[in-house]
């Protein structure tokens, strides 16, 4: 029996996927099976908005698998299945709903990290166990291990949001080994294009309890089309596929994703990522030199986490300048921290100048 079969609740194990008209299919030239309008007003270039999209966009799933096998990631060919979903957030929700029974099961997270893991668990009354990162935002492997035997899923984010750092592969392997008979380990690689050599997706061949989440929202710059991917062993995907909605990806989104995953689109993504990394490194170095900056944390993403020596994280100050950042001070571990996404060189130069103009009082440095 696979670990996925062992973990999945009986209600999901016995679930028959909803039989949509597109899933059932059929051959013919007059389509009267899905209660669609046979003719409708045209909006834009497509003449097929009146038809439901393909049940599963297999073309982009195959294209994404080929991309994930490419030399860009510098790893062996993947031995897994791929599923297209509506962004990484849907992947998180699907995995929790598939393998966790409300009011009974629990997941593990390692804060500070992406808040959606806990949110999705809370939404269906699944308990969240929190094992904090170390002081330098590393993974506390020894502290996580005792919780695995009673937890269905461990969520890890690498590179991590909002800290920006990569989890060493040996730490992930240690937890895969520790949880191989009890726990699914989900590694959220939303920012992986900024550190492609750190991907762990190739480990799925040896660890069927590993699931990798990806997205086109970050390095590809396609946040609005809401396309993400799940990479997992067939034993896992067989159950996740039972809960995915009937028409997961709209045709316009699938067409854009398909173009993005072709050679020209991939080349553009890599150019964008290279430019952003250069801008990020310049900005981080410049901000680090400011007298009221305590630390700019190392980042393998498209953002930097900055901790100030001021009374607050300067979120409100920057907002007054028309610069919208992400206040992280709600987390006690991130007191006086703000997360700043990396934009164009011009945007970052304006942000840097705004920080230089801050009326800093050296007598009010905060170090606690």
């Amino acid at each position: 029996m696979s670990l996925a079969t062992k973990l999945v609740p009986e209600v999901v194990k016995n679930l028959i996927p909803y039989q949509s008209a597109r899933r059932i299919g059929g051959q013919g030239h007059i389509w009267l099976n899905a209660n669609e309008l046979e003719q409708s007003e045209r909006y834009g270039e497509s003449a097929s908005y009146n038809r439901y999209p393909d049940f599963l966009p297999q073309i982009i799933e195959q294209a994404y698998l080929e991309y994930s096998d490419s030399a860009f990631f510098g790893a062996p060919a993947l031995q897994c299945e791929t599923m297209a979903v509506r962004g990484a957030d849907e992947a998180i929700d699907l995995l929790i709903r598939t393998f966790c029974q409300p009011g009974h099961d629990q997941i593990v997270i390692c804060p500070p990290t992406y808040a959606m893991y806990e949110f999705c668990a809370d939404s269906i009354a699944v308990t969240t166990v929190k094992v904090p990162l170390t002081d330098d935002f590393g993974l506390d492997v020894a502290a996580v291990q005792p919780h695995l035997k009673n937890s269905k899923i461990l969520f890890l984010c690498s590179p991590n949001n909002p800290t920006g750092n990569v989890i060493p592969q040996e730490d992930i392997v240690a937890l895969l080994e520790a949880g191989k008979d009890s726990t699914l380990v989900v590694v959220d690689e939303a920012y992986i294009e900024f550190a492609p050599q750190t991907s762990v997706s190739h480990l799925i061949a040896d660890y069927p309890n590993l699931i990798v989440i990806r997205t086109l929202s970050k390095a590809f710059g396609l946040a609005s089309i809401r396309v993400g991917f799940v990479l997992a062993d067939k034993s896992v995907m067989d159950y996740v596929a039972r809960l995915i909605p009937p028409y997961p990806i709209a045709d316009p989104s699938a067409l854009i994703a398909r173009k993005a995953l072709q050679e020209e689109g991939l080349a553009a993504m890599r150019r964008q990522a290279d430019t952003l990394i250069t801008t990020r490194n310049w900005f981080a170095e410049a901000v680090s030199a400011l007298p009221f900056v305590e630390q700019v944390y190392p980042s393998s993403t498209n953002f930097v986490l900055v901790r100030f020596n001021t009374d607050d994280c300067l979120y409100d100050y920057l907002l007054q300048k028309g610069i919208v950042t992400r206040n992280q001070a709600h987390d006690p571990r991130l007191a006086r921290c703000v997360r700043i996404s990396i934009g164009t060189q011009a945007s970052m130069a304006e942000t840097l100048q705004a920080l230089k103009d801050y009326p800093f009082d050296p007598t009010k440095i905060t170090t606690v």
Side-chain angles (χ1 to χ4, degrees), residues 52-313:
Y52 284 109
D54 287 338
F55 164 65
L56 283 177
Q58 292 155 334
I59 292 176
I60 64 171
E61 289 175 342
Q62 182 58 36
Y64 195 81
L65 191 58
E66 292 173 1
Y67 156 66
S68 299
D69 277 343
S70 68
F72 180 62
F73 290 99
L78 301 187
Q79 297 179 41
C80 65
E81 294 191 355
T82 311
M83 176 183 288
V85 291
R86 289 173 293 197
D89 291 340
E90 182 177 47
I92 296 164
D93 183 63
L94 268 174
L95 290 168
I96 292 176
R97 288 195 296 114
T98 300
F99 293 102
C100 296
Q101 183 175 334
H104 182 268
D105 292 325
Q106 67 183 33
I107 66 167
V108 180
I109 66 172
C110 300
T113 192
Y114 189 38
M116 281 299 292
Y117 312 136
E118 183 177 8
F119 174 84
C120 290
D122 286 348
S123 71
I124 62 168
V126 167
T127 301
T128 298
V129 175
K130 301 178 183 180
V131 180
L133 298 177
T134 61
D135 290 342
D136 60 354
F137 299 143
L139 198 60
D140 192 340
V141 175
V144 171
Q145 286 177 334
H147 296 285
L148 296 182
K149 63 181 179 180
N150 295 318
S151 303
K152 289 288 189 73
I153 303 175
L154 164 65
F155 281 99
L156 302 174
C157 189
S158 183
N160 189 38
N161 175 16
T163 61
N165 58 306
V166 171
I167 298 173
Q169 182 172 305
E170 56 266 30
D171 289 352
I172 295 175
V173 169
L175 292 173
L176 285 167
E177 285 284 352
K180 63 184 178 181
D181 296 322
S182 63
T183 312
L184 297 171
V185 178
V186 178
V187 179
D188 185 344
E189 293 188 344
Y191 299 92
I192 199 62
E193 280 79 14
F194 302 107
Q197 307 304 314
T198 68
S199 175
V200 296
S201 56
H202 62 283
L203 296 177
I204 295 173
D206 296 321
Y207 296 98
N209 60 324
L210 171 63
I211 303 169
V212 172
I213 297 174
R214 301 265 188 83
T215 183
L216 299 187
S217 295
K218 308 303 181 185
F220 282 88
L222 296 174
S224 70
I225 71 169
R226 309 309 300 133
V227 174
F229 296 89
V230 178
L231 302 174
D233 185 75
K234 183 180 184 300
S235 63
V236 170
M237 212 69 88
D238 283 347
Y239 293 111
V240 178
R242 300 184 187 198
L243 272 74
I244 195 167
Y247 306 106
I249 305 294
D251 282 344
S253 292
L255 289 171
I256 295 170
R258 183 180 182 183
K259 289 183 179 179
L261 293 169
Q262 292 173 347
E263 185 176 349
E264 184 177 344
L266 293 174
M269 178 275 291
R270 289 163 187 157
R271 289 195 300 272
Q272 290 171 179
D274 288 345
T275 299
L276 188 145
I277 289 170
T278 299
T279 303
R280 180 196 69 203
N281 293 345
W282 163 79
F283 179 76
E285 183 177 359
V287 170
S288 296
L290 298 176
F292 50 90
V293 170
E294 179 177 323
Q295 187 170 0
V296 178
Y297 291 92
S299 176
S300 297
T301 67
N302 65 337
F303 61 82
V304 290
L305 182 69
V306 183
R307 190 187 300 271
F308 294 97
N309 278 328
T310 53
D311 290 338
D312 60 30
C313 65

